[in-house]
Amino acid sequence: HVLPLATAWALGASRWSQAQRETFANDRSVELLAVDRASNQAKGDSGPGEPGEGWMPPARGYWCSYDARFTTILAKYRLPVVAADKTAMTFVLRTCS
């Protein structure tokens, strides 16, 4: 999950119906992304603005697409952007062409 399920829950998914949560959790169009086990474990429930350095894909070449996808998910599911994520993503997106 690009946007961790625990994060979605904290941002408002806890108020969704079971059907809405299942749709989100299984959304192949933006939310699910195939990665190797080590990358998935390293990410855990972290997002770009987690305390400390946050989590970004290990290969910098994917940062722009990751941030764009993360933002798309927040918008699609009408979830708020927390200040720490906004700060981290704004920094990255300024470098994108």
Side-chain angles (χ1 to χ4, degrees), residues 34-41:
V35 298
D36 62 61
R37 182 180 180 149
S39 296
N40 190 48
Q41 288 179 330

Side-chain angles (χ1 to χ4, degrees), residues 63-92:
W63 285 15
C64 293
S65 61
Y66 170 77
D67 273 6
R69 195 170 192 145
F70 196 92
T71 303
T72 297
I73 295 165
L74 291 171
K76 180 176 181 177
Y77 289 95
R78 299 179 186 202
L79 295 169
V81 179
V82 296
D85 285 339
K86 182 178 180 181
T87 299
M89 291 187 298
T90 298
F91 174 78
V92 170

Side-chain angles (χ1 to χ4, degrees), residues 11-45:
L11 295 176
S14 61
R15 295 185 300 273
W16 295 347
S17 69
Q18 181 66 30
Q20 288 172 302
R21 288 193 298 271
E22 287 177 14
T23 296
F24 174 81
N26 295 298
D27 185 347
R28 293 182 192 175
S29 69
V30 291
E31 174 60 358
L32 293 176
L33 184 63
V35 298
D36 62 61
R37 182 180 180 149
S39 296
N40 190 48
Q41 288 179 330
K43 180 179 178 289
D45 286 339

